[in-house]
Amino acid sequence: MKVAIAGYGTAGQAAALFLSAQGHEVTVFEKSPVLGPVGAGFLLQPTGMGVLARLGLLGKAQAMGQRIDELHGSTPSGRPVMAMRYGDRREGCFGLGMTRGALFELLRDAWPGAGRIRTGVRIDRYDEATHTLHDSHGQSHGPYDLVIAADGAHSALRATCEKSVRRESMYPWGAVWCLVRADDWATPHHLQQRYAGTRQMLGMLPVGTRPGHEGRWVTFFFSLAGDAVESFDDDALAAMHRDVADIWPDIVPRIAHLRHPSDLQRARYRDVVMASPCRGRLVVIGDAAHAMSPQLGQGANMALLDAATLADCLRDHVDVDRALAVYAKTRRTHVRTYQFISRWLTPLFQSDHAWLGGWRDALFGPMGRMPGARTPMLSILTGEARLGRYGYEARPVDVTPLSDEDEAIADATPASHG
Ligand SMILES: Cc1cc2nc3c(=O)[nH]c(=O)nc-3n(C[C@H](O)[C@H](O)[C@H](O)COP(=O)(O)OP(=O)(O)OC[C@H]3O[C@@H](n4cnc5c(N)ncnc54)[C@H](O)[C@@H]3O)c2cc1C
């Protein structure tokens, strides 16, 4: 098939790899004139790592990233709120912190077609009748047998499925974030967060190596209300430094070099819910289909799962319409589960409802120690939770074992998986 992919983020990158490997003729359009990731780092879960394993890239990912074994959240006084160990989910389970640059390069270098990506082309519209794409310069492209909208949370192509879009709103909160060098970081296997009520949250996520730079890195993030993200200026930066000194004095030296607002990237979140991600021969994947607050650390993992599932459906069904219908059905429960949990959990960490913070601080710790609650909490973290017709269930991800070659690459870098 002739396949067009709009957007070369994680979803588009993975889709290009899977579909090219199936022999389809893939054309990628990316609006940025220069290819590259935007943002600092993220946490890959066993779900996302399972997809990387299928692509034969998990060993390299482990070598580039940082194995994360535990998540710790506490109040400024050091009182534990959250303590979760991946190993309690099952033996050998872990997360993987990665810089966006590392994941981007890993997926790009694995795709022989990367040199032919049509950069600087912003796709504005899909014409269902002619199966063509139209860009912002008035040029048309195609026709295509299949169009994949992987154009992120602010997707232009989502409008093609207008009737399916149930929710498309800007989240009232966001964050500023950046990478800081941390070769001697004392807890390289822990994601650490500090919460002061629900209006203040900051975190340090070890993410391993950064392409083009030496050493190992940690993503620092600092939560802000949406309008404060937009207007983040010198005064706001000074206020951030004061808040960090109050909430988590230990990390003050790590961020002391951040002297200009542009030293940090800004992120606003979107909340997107679609009844169906498909319309005709167009399928919407990744954040374009289900953007949510990153509190649960699932977005990139879900983008990878979308791409892998779509490829499976196209492989198993010769009829494209049928393949897309099966794709929508296959991904529905998982996507809805995380949309639901994200909507309910995020206000406990980012909102104006201070009482929710007190409730969280009082209950999360004991809940995490109760076997009946700990298992669901862990499966939510690892990306394996589903809310089905019969209530909650956890579906473990079948992470394909590393190939011998992958194993050797991962073993060669003990720092990454300690
Ligand atoms: C602060 C923050 C922290 C996060 N932490 C995590 C985490 O720990 N774990 C996790 O799994 N996820 C995390 N996420 C979410 C994750 O970043 C996203 O879910 C993921 O990047 C989505 O990938 P995507 O390919 O769908 O979209 P994107 O990465 O946004 O890629 C979309 C691409 O499409 C291009 N594009 C856009 N419009 C057009 C157009 N009209 N035509 C052509 N090209 C276009 C863009 O330039 C971009 O390259 C976090 C997000 C934020 C903001």
Side-chain angles (χ1 to χ4, degrees):
M1 287 193 299
K2 285 182 79 174
V3 179
I5 300 176
Y8 197 60
T10 306
Q13 287 192 291
L17 273 170
F18 275 114
L19 297 191
S20 296
Q22 288 180 353
H24 300 298
E25 187 187 323
V26 174
T27 306
V28 172
F29 299 95
E30 166 56 51
K31 76 171 180 187
S32 303
V34 182
L35 282 185
V38 178
F42 38 38
L43 181 58
L44 287 185
Q45 308 293 354
T47 44
M49 282 187 274
V51 176
L52 292 182
R54 282 186 53 180
L55 291 167
L57 298 174
L58 184 56
K60 281 187 187 159
Q62 278 182 239
M64 294 165 122
Q66 179 65 55
R67 176 177 171 137
I68 301 295
D69 291 316
E70 300 181 22
L71 187 161
H72 289 276
S74 55
T75 63
S77 65
R79 179 174 154 203
V81 175
M82 201 134 61
M84 290 204 262
R85 281 168 26 92
Y86 278 92
D88 289 340
R89 172 86 181 105
R90 61 178 167 271
E91 209 184 310
C93 185
F94 60 92
L96 187 69
M98 280 191 94
T99 55
R100 285 177 183 251
L103 183 61
F104 181 86
E105 285 203 5
L106 181 68
L107 294 169
R108 183 201 58 195
D109 293 351
W111 189 42
R116 296 191 302 275
I117 293 172
R118 312 278 298 273
T119 51
V121 182
R122 196 183 81 199
I123 300 297
D124 279 348
R125 197 168 57 81
Y126 169 61
D127 187 329
E128 259 185 284
T130 57
H131 301 296
T132 51
L133 288 171
H134 298 265
D135 69 28
S136 54
H137 301 296
Q139 302 244 312
S140 63
H141 308 269
Y144 295 101
D145 302 307
L146 175 66
V147 170
I148 301 176
D151 49 349
H154 304 272
S155 170
L157 286 179
R158 186 167 56 227
T160 310
C161 309
E162 202 179 4
K163 290 196 182 114
S164 272
V165 179
R166 294 277 176 272
R167 184 190 289 258
E168 190 181 22
S169 53
M170 196 61 97
Y171 208 79
W173 288 78
V176 288
W177 55 328
C178 66
L179 289 167
V180 295
R181 179 111 185 230
D183 299 310
D184 56 343
W185 185 242
T187 51
H189 302 295
H190 297 180
L191 161 59
Q192 294 194 65
Q193 299 179 337
R194 290 281 187 283
Y195 322 114
T198 50
R199 290 192 61 85
Q200 287 177 313
M201 173 176 74
L202 57 147
M204 295 288 268
L205 168 67
V207 284
T209 62
R210 181 180 182 190
H213 294 78
E214 305 238 301
R216 302 191 77 76
W217 296 76
V218 171
T219 292
F220 161 76
F221 58 90
F222 185 83
S223 163
L224 284 172
D227 52 351
V229 173
E230 309 283 358
S231 62
F232 191 71
D233 57 9
D234 288 324
D235 290 344
L237 178 64
M240 182 195 86
H241 280 293
R242 285 196 299 277
D243 286 344
V244 173
D246 284 345
I247 298 170
W248 198 354
D250 292 353
I251 66 164
V252 166
R254 304 282 176 179
I255 60 158
H257 63 285
L258 303 173
R259 287 278 146 237
H260 194 272
S262 63
D263 291 338
L264 292 115
Q265 273 140 5
R266 301 161 196 229
R268 289 289 318 264
Y269 317 143
R270 261 188 185 245
D271 204 5
V272 173
V273 177
M274 298 181 75
S276 165
C278 308
R279 184 171 171 118
R281 292 294 177 89
L282 174 95
V283 55
V284 189
I285 68 170
D287 270 12
H290 43 65
M292 61 184 75
S293 130
Q295 184 61 40
L296 296 171
Q298 301 295 331
N301 298 277
M302 293 174 78
L304 289 166
L305 282 175
D306 288 352
T309 308
L310 178 62
D312 289 348
C313 295
L314 291 167
R315 179 200 60 206
D316 294 345
H317 301 275
V318 180
D319 176 33
V320 183
D321 298 324
R322 173 88 190 122
L324 294 185
V326 175
Y327 166 77
K329 191 161 180 247
T330 310
R331 289 292 295 131
R332 185 177 301 145
T333 308
H334 186 248
V335 168
R336 288 193 178 168
T337 298
Y338 278 89
Q339 285 171 328
F340 176 81
I341 300 172
S342 168
R343 200 163 314 126
W344 284 97
L345 270 188
T346 301
L348 295 178
F349 298 89
Q350 290 189 303
S351 71
D352 288 320
H353 308 304
W355 60 274
L356 282 177
W359 191 80
R360 171 202 65 205
D361 295 350
L363 292 184
F364 265 47
M367 272 168 64
R369 290 189 292 276
M370 279 161 40
R374 192 175 63 203
T375 306
M377 284 168 84
L378 280 166
S379 68
I380 290 170
L381 171 69
T382 56
E384 298 162 310
R386 275 159 200 269
L387 295 171
R389 190 177 303 161
Y390 305 108
Y392 161 82
E393 64 178 275
R395 198 170 289 182
V397 175
D398 176 20
V399 178
T400 315
L402 293 187
S403 65
D404 291 347
E405 191 193 343
D406 268 358
E407 193 103 53
I409 296 169
D411 281 347
T413 50
S416 67
H417 64 127

